[in-house]
Amino acid sequence: MAEAAAEGRRVVRQLGTIMGKTKSSKFKRPRVSADGLAAGAVKRPSGDDEEAVETDEDSPAAELLEKLQSPCADVRELACAGISRVVQQSQTIPAFLQRDAVRRLGPLLLDPSRAVRETAAGALRNLSACGGPEVCEDMVRQDILTPLVTLLRECCSAFEVSSAPSSQEPKHTVEGVANEAVNLLWNLCESSTRAVSTFNRSGLLDVLILCLDRRMQNVELALSAAHCLHTVTEDNAELLGSVNTAVLSALESVLLSTHTGMAQTLLRTLAAGVVWNVKASLPAAQHAQTLGALVATLSRSLELDAGRLVPELLQAEAARFATGGGSAAATEGMEEHMPADRGVGAGTEEELEEGDGEVHLNGLGRSRKTSGKEDDFSDLLPRGREELREVTALLTAQQTSLEIIVNMCCSDVDPSDDEWEETSSGDEAEPGADGLLEGNSSLLSPLCLSAEVHGALIHHHIPQKVLLKAEFPSAEALAACGKTPAWGGVVKKMYRVQYRALTCLHNILAAMDTESLGGPVGLQAVAQHLASLVFSSAEVLKDDEFLEAVTSALRSLLQIMASKNIPQCMSPQQLMSLCEAATRCDVLSVRVNALAILGITGSTLAKQPDSAETLQMIGNALLSVATKDTNLVVCGEALDALFDVFADGEEAEKAAAAIRLLPALKALQPVFKAKIRKEGKGKYSPEQLCVLDNIKINLRRFVGYLEKQARR
């Protein structure tokens, strides 16, 4: 009986993300969403839409595209620049697509004029960034990569010969053209698996390495190449065969460089990410040394105190402006002209030329499609904002460092189909109370980190540094940025670093032992801090990304503490407010995490004297969710938490009797079973149905257990 109950509950424990149970997360760059569109993506017009486009007299698309055919290079350049600006308004993109803008712009990548090449690449770059994944796929289908590959090869061949501006085109360099082209390639590869396949076949890895080697001459180009490398090397087994000694040496050279400045810090961080992606190509004898250098790079990035540096750099900018070392006037009104939803990525720096009192866009940043919309406009910062560029590079480096550590502490192992069948055994043996307490110990076991990685993370105090970033941002930095409109985007990036740190903490908890996190005292301090974040204000409960990250971390931490019998720190009032907030949250994982936290804390309290009153509150809250929530996954999590809380102990028995748990669950049984049968196949995945089926079995067993208790 006990074994059967343990087996039933073991299934629920093993299915990490399916029912919201603890499982390490991984940051990936999704190629295309299920429907082929990202948020804000632009569809190619068809049918009535095409007719609407044709009859739109206000559309500038026709005139601009016509000028691309002009025999005058200056006219072609101005037309490309005009397209770059116009397509930042996503509603204009269908008009350009309907008129074959991609096929018209493609040949201009190989135009005799360097200025036309650069602005054409910039126009296509903007189109890919603002149009979304479907537009990128369409560009690849229209063979934009053929002229783009040729352009990149020609640029790299000309680096040493003619990297300086020509007398005819003083504002345009070969490296400037290459930078636009690399960013276009980056956008395409981030959104299209077909583009990645073409990248692999075309031998473009060597081209990007050449761009990376230009870091002392042009750090913007090197950063763009590093970002693109970081994207194309992720989960790309086909490319590993091309990672030769020369490639590894170039990456190692960047990793071990000692050049100062935040741009160089970001460059080293991205190189570390590329090395991690291609670690399978490392010679066995170099593994420990290279991974040590990789983690050391991430460590140095996280060591930088952004809470102190942000206000210091802002003050330095203000002092420079005050003494005539630059002017904020060049960027006045920039915020008004920045598109609100264009997915610009962080870290690259683009030319904004000042002339005739205007700021002219020379290009637009790439689309960042990792986890939520990135509202970052670092690419639009003019040269008068050097300090703001530094801050943006710093925060991007720290965010990227945390994402790399997340992946280092991530397990990609999922149950196979055979394991699903084995763990979903329909054993109907009656359980005993002890069986309901038996969980799967592997849930709390460290993941299989290699000795080299684990040792390097510990040696460089990565867990402690991640914890510090989870406390970010500082009030001083937030206040300083809040007073300067041009620095408003920095606030979002500071919060994003905190979110990544919380997700990173979640994975570290699954991958490392308690002592690595400061022992019982350290874990209690972390739990208290996380709890304080959750309940800091009503506003934070409205931020879905924050809530998902913080509740995941808190849940993992409380599970570890419960397994080690370490006292927890959440008050009953906090628990109830968390549950109330969770029931109002639209994000499924947040609701599931909050219910699990109630279950973990309740099961711990059940072992303590005089806890019946608190257990009643927890039980009533869980029963309410189990009976009223419309989502079966949430109902299942609430039931699972009830099994945890009321599995054993005198206090649990008192509380169960007081809230009439047995009749409530008996009444819920047929309803839950009917919902699974009625809604299951059309609304939930096979994996979720497998777990729900086991919860249904556990519910019947638990009711039987409570009935036996009542007869005693």
Side-chain angles (χ1 to χ4, degrees):
M1 179 171 63
E3 291 179 359
E7 176 65 23
R9 287 172 56 73
R10 187 172 296 122
V11 178
V12 181
R13 295 292 188 220
Q14 287 178 333
L15 308 185
T17 56
I18 295 168
M19 290 297 289
K21 291 295 179 183
T22 297
K23 181 180 178 182
S24 54
S25 306
K26 182 176 181 180
F27 279 102
K28 294 176 71 75
R29 294 170 180 79
R31 304 300 180 194
V32 186
S33 60
D35 60 357
L37 290 172
V42 178
K43 293 185 178 181
R44 172 179 281 274
S46 59
D48 296 338
D49 292 334
E50 286 191 4
E51 184 177 348
V53 171
E54 289 286 356
T55 58
D56 184 2
E57 297 179 358
D58 296 329
S59 173
E63 180 182 358
L64 288 171
L65 291 172
E66 184 66 29
K67 288 181 179 179
L68 295 179
Q69 312 304 318
S70 171
C72 176
D74 288 343
V75 174
R76 297 196 300 275
E77 179 189 355
L78 288 172
C80 290
I83 294 171
S84 293
R85 288 190 292 271
V86 173
V87 297
Q88 292 177 47
Q89 305 301 320
S90 61
Q91 69 271 18
T92 68
I93 292 178
F96 285 94
L97 296 178
Q98 192 272 335
R99 293 177 172 87
D100 285 327
V102 176
R103 286 198 171 94
R104 294 194 189 192
L105 284 165
L108 298 186
L109 292 175
L110 302 176
D111 194 274
S113 166
R114 187 185 293 173
V116 174
R117 291 186 178 201
E118 183 172 351
T119 51
L124 288 164
R125 178 186 175 187
N126 284 16
L127 188 62
S128 65
C130 301
E134 189 179 70
V135 170
C136 289
E137 286 283 5
D138 191 46
M139 293 172 74
V140 175
R141 281 193 296 269
Q142 295 187 56
D143 200 28
I144 195 62
L145 284 167
T146 295
L148 179 59
V149 170
T150 302
L151 173 62
L152 283 166
R153 292 195 178 283
E154 289 185 6
C155 286
C156 289
S157 299
F159 278 160
E160 297 299 336
V161 179
S162 57
S163 60
S166 67
S167 57
Q168 292 82 14
E169 300 177 283
K171 293 183 179 181
H172 301 277
T173 66
V174 171
E175 288 170 342
V177 177
N179 188 52
E180 293 295 333
V182 169
N183 275 279
L184 172 57
L185 177 66
W186 180 13
N187 286 348
L188 297 176
C189 289
E190 199 165 46
S191 297
S192 168
T193 54
R194 187 182 304 183
V196 174
S197 296
T198 302
F199 179 96
N200 295 341
R201 293 194 307 271
S202 303
L204 288 176
L205 179 61
D206 293 337
V207 169
L208 290 184
I209 291 298
L210 286 173
C211 294
L212 191 65
D213 287 339
R214 304 294 293 176
R215 61 185 180 278
M216 296 312 300
Q217 294 87 353
N218 192 312
V219 71
E220 291 91 347
L221 174 60
L223 279 170
S224 297
H227 275 297
C228 191
L229 281 168
H230 195 204
T231 293
V232 297
T233 55
E234 184 176 27
D235 296 330
N236 190 352
E238 182 184 352
L239 188 63
L240 293 180
S242 303
V243 181
N244 53 32
T245 303
V247 172
L248 293 175
S249 296
L251 294 171
E252 182 181 15
S253 177
V254 176
L255 270 183
L256 300 179
S257 68
T258 57
H259 303 296
T260 58
M262 298 307 171
Q264 295 291 339
T265 297
L266 175 57
L267 190 61
R268 285 189 289 270
T269 302
L270 291 167
V274 177
V275 170
W276 178 255
N277 288 343
V278 302
K279 60 186 179 297
S281 298
L282 293 172
Q286 288 183 235
H287 261 257
Q289 180 181 357
T290 304
L291 289 175
L294 185 162
V295 176
T297 297
L298 305 180
S299 175
R300 285 192 289 271
S301 172
L302 295 178
E303 282 174 359
L304 296 170
D305 184 0
R308 176 181 59 82
L309 290 171
V310 167
E312 284 184 1
L313 285 167
L314 199 156
Q315 291 173 8
E317 180 189 77
R320 183 167 56 83
F321 286 163
T323 56
S327 174
T331 54
E332 282 183 2
M334 280 291 292
E335 291 78 9
E336 298 176 11
H337 302 292
M338 291 179 180
D341 182 13
R342 50 169 231 210
V344 176
T348 54
E349 299 178 355
E350 293 311 313
E351 287 289 337
L352 280 165
E353 299 169 358
E354 294 182 50
D356 300 325
E358 294 183 359
V359 178
H360 299 285
L361 285 151
N362 224 7
L364 188 67
R366 54 81 137 174
S367 174
R368 181 83 175 159
K369 308 173 190 71
T370 46
S371 46
K373 188 175 71 177
E374 299 274 351
D375 298 317
D376 178 14
F377 306 105
S378 59
D379 290 345
L380 291 175
L381 298 176
R383 292 302 177 188
R385 292 287 187 184
E386 285 83 2
E387 292 84 2
L388 186 49
R389 287 176 176 272
E390 288 278 288
V391 165
T392 301
L394 163 64
L395 295 173
T396 303
Q398 294 192 336
Q399 176 183 329
T400 304
S401 295
L402 291 164
E403 291 173 0
I404 295 168
I405 296 167
V406 165
N407 292 347
M408 294 175 78
C409 297
C410 178
S411 170
D412 290 323
V413 178
D414 288 319
S416 66
D417 291 340
D418 291 340
E419 289 171 327
W420 281 114
E421 293 173 5
E422 179 181 347
T423 55
S424 60
S425 168
D427 185 357
E428 297 289 332
E430 291 297 327
D434 292 340
L436 291 166
L437 290 172
E438 293 180 20
N440 181 12
S441 60
S442 66
L443 173 70
L444 303 177
S445 299
L447 299 175
C448 296
L449 282 179
S450 69
E452 292 94 340
V453 173
H454 186 274
L457 293 174
I458 297 300
H459 176 73
H460 291 285
H461 309 291
I462 294 298
Q464 289 78 9
K465 291 173 183 177
V466 170
L467 294 179
L468 288 175
K469 294 305 170 187
E471 299 178 3
F472 192 75
S474 74
E476 181 185 2
L478 290 175
C481 292
K483 297 176 182 177
T484 309
W487 285 59
V490 173
V491 173
K492 295 179 181 179
K493 288 202 70 66
M494 286 192 292
Y495 277 114
R496 193 167 291 125
V497 168
Q498 182 196 29
Y499 302 161
R500 297 298 186 269
L502 290 168
T503 302
C504 193
L505 175 61
H506 169 73
N507 279 26
I508 285 176
L509 286 165
M512 307 190 86
D513 55 70
T514 302
E515 292 308 313
S516 300
L517 298 165
V521 174
L523 291 177
Q524 284 179 319
V526 176
Q528 186 63 57
H529 175 68
L530 293 179
S532 68
L533 289 176
V534 174
F535 306 112
S536 58
S537 71
E539 289 302 311
V540 302
L541 298 179
K542 300 176 183 178
D543 191 318
D544 293 345
E545 188 178 2
F546 167 79
L547 273 179
E548 186 168 20
V550 76
T551 55
S552 294
L554 184 58
R555 175 181 180 172
S556 296
L557 184 59
L558 293 179
Q559 284 176 327
I560 297 291
M561 294 175 71
S563 72
K564 304 292 184 182
N565 294 319
I566 299 172
Q568 299 177 12
C569 59
M570 297 185 70
S571 68
Q573 291 74 21
Q574 288 178 321
L575 282 169
M576 292 305 103
S577 63
L578 176 60
C579 188
E580 290 172 5
T583 56
R584 294 192 299 268
C585 184
D586 292 332
V587 180
L588 177 66
S589 60
V590 173
R591 283 145 61 197
V592 167
N593 284 337
L595 294 169
I597 289 169
L598 282 177
I600 295 164
T601 307
S603 64
T604 301
L605 287 172
K607 302 172 186 177
Q608 300 174 7
D610 302 323
S611 60
E613 185 176 346
T614 302
L615 294 177
Q616 289 180 43
M617 287 195 299
I618 294 174
N620 280 324
L622 292 173
L623 270 176
S624 176
V625 174
T627 55
K628 295 178 181 178
D629 200 289
T630 58
N631 189 291
L632 281 175
V633 171
V634 177
C635 294
E637 184 64 46
L639 287 170
D640 194 44
L642 282 167
F643 303 157
D644 285 339
V645 175
F646 296 98
D648 192 24
E650 293 183 5
E651 296 299 313
E653 288 185 27
K654 293 178 187 176
I659 65 172
R660 296 181 55 79
L661 181 61
L662 176 57
L665 292 181
K666 288 181 73 174
L668 179 60
Q669 256 188 296
V671 176
F672 187 68
K673 182 178 180 180
K675 280 187 176 181
I676 294 176
R677 185 171 58 250
K678 182 179 179 180
E679 304 174 12
K681 290 185 179 179
K683 195 173 180 181
Y684 302 96
S685 69
E687 292 84 1
Q688 289 173 325
L689 288 175
C690 176
V691 178
L692 289 169
D693 184 62
N694 278 277
I695 291 177
K696 178 184 68 176
I697 293 170
N698 286 347
L699 175 57
R700 184 180 62 79
R701 293 171 175 172
F702 190 68
V703 167
Y705 162 66
L706 291 178
E707 287 176 335
K708 286 183 179 180
Q709 279 188 324
R711 289 195 296 267
R712 286 190 318 197

